[in-house]
Amino acid sequence: MSRRSGILEFAVLGLLRESPMHGYELRKRLNTSLGVFRAFSYGSLYPCLKTLVANGWLIEEPGSALEDALAASLAGRRAKIVYRLTAQGKEHFEELLGQSGPDAWEDEHFAARFAFFGQTSRDVRMRVLEGRRSRLEERLEKMRASLARSRERLDGYTLELQRHGMESVEREVRWLNELIESERTGRDQRSGAGRSEQGTSGDPGGLPRHRGGSRPDPSDDTAK
C-alpha cells in the first residue's frame, strides 16, 4: 500500500465513523473538511472504497429515496450506494488512531491525523505533536545550514523564497509548541482534580487561544 493510499483509507474510515455517506458526500468532505486532500484525485476514491469493502471494514447499502434524490440534485446522477463502517472497520480505525510513529509526523499524514484529534486519546496526540515538532526542528536546522552555505550564491528573490520557507516552518513549530503546552496544561489540570491522566478517545484537550496571525495549515506546501 502506498503512503498516500494509506492516508486516504484512514480519512475515509474516520469520516464514515461519524456517519454513513454516499460516495459524493465523502468526496465533498475530503475536499472541504480535510485540507490535505485539496489536490486529491477523485479517481482514487472508489477503488479505495472497494478495497475497504473487500477487507470487511465497510459495507455497501442502498440509499433511501430521499438520499438518492439529494444525490441526484448535487451530483447530477442517482447515487444508490451508502457506505457504512462495520464493527471490524471501527476496530481497525481505532488501531490506526493509536499509531504515533514517524509516518504520523510527515506532512500529509500529520494533517489527516490532526483532523481526527478529537477522536484520538491525549497520550497519542502528545506523541504525534512532539514527533511532528521534532521532525520540523530537524528540517529547520538543515534549512538554516543550507542557507548559510549558499547565501552568497543566491540572488535576492531566491534568498527571499528560502527565508519564506524557513518562516513557514518556524511558524508551525511555534503553533505546535502552543498545542503541546495546552495538552500538558489540560492533563495537569485533570490530574490535579484527581482524574486519570490516561487520555480517552473524544477528549478535546485544551486547544490554545490563538494570539495573532493565522494558524498554520499543516498541509500548506510552504511548510514542507
Side-chain angles (χ1 to χ4, degrees):
M1 180 192 307
S2 70
R3 175 176 295 176
R4 186 157 182 81
S5 64
I7 298 170
L8 177 57
E9 290 187 5
F10 173 82
V12 167
L13 291 172
L15 290 174
L16 290 177
R17 188 189 188 202
E18 299 173 3
S19 65
M21 297 184 199
H22 286 294
Y24 79 91
E25 190 176 2
L26 270 171
R27 284 163 37 187
K28 182 179 178 180
R29 290 290 305 278
L30 286 167
N31 185 50
T32 60
S33 301
L34 304 178
V36 67
F37 292 103
R38 284 193 295 260
F40 168 66
S41 171
Y42 292 138
S44 303
L45 176 58
Y46 290 99
C48 172
L49 289 170
K50 294 299 182 183
T51 297
L52 295 176
V53 170
N55 288 340
W57 297 331
L58 301 182
I59 57 174
E60 297 175 330
E61 299 178 337
S64 68
L66 178 61
E67 287 172 330
D68 283 345
L70 178 62
S73 65
L74 293 180
R77 59 185 177 83
R78 295 184 66 83
K80 299 181 179 180
I81 300 298
V82 171
Y83 296 92
R84 183 185 299 274
L85 196 65
T86 65
Q88 294 90 339
K90 182 177 180 180
E91 182 178 350
H92 179 61
F93 182 67
E94 293 287 349
E95 293 175 356
L96 295 177
L97 280 179
Q99 296 177 2
S100 56
D103 280 351
W105 312 341
E106 300 298 338
D107 295 332
E108 290 184 341
H109 209 157
F110 174 75
R113 287 299 305 269
F114 191 83
F116 294 99
F117 261 24
Q119 303 179 42
T120 305
S121 65
R122 185 187 300 271
D123 59 332
V124 173
R125 291 198 303 260
M126 282 291 289
R127 290 197 297 271
V128 172
L129 290 172
E130 289 174 340
R132 174 66 174 175
R133 180 177 63 180
S134 175
R135 180 60 48 85
L136 289 183
E137 288 173 340
E138 292 173 359
R139 183 182 301 173
L140 193 57
E141 183 177 349
K142 292 179 180 178
M143 293 173 73
R144 287 169 175 161
S146 176
L147 183 60
R149 290 193 304 268
S150 59
R151 182 186 300 272
E152 299 302 325
R153 301 193 302 271
L154 299 177
D155 63 60
Y157 294 105
T158 305
L159 185 60
E160 285 304 311
L161 186 62
Q162 295 275 350
R163 288 173 175 166
H164 173 67
M166 287 177 53
E167 289 171 359
S168 297
V169 177
E170 289 169 344
R171 185 169 62 249
E172 186 173 346
V173 170
R174 290 194 297 270
W175 174 65
L176 289 167
N177 285 336
E178 290 185 358
L179 288 170
I180 290 168
E181 180 59 28
S182 295
E183 291 285 350
R184 286 175 177 163
T185 299
R187 181 177 60 190
D188 292 343
Q189 288 174 346
R190 287 168 61 88
S191 178
R195 300 177 183 178
S196 171
E197 293 187 10
Q198 177 67 30
T200 57
S201 188
D203 178 2
L207 291 177
R209 292 180 179 272
H210 190 50
R211 298 190 294 274
S214 60
R215 180 174 295 173
D217 181 351
S219 65
D220 189 345
D221 289 340
T222 62
K224 295 181 183 180

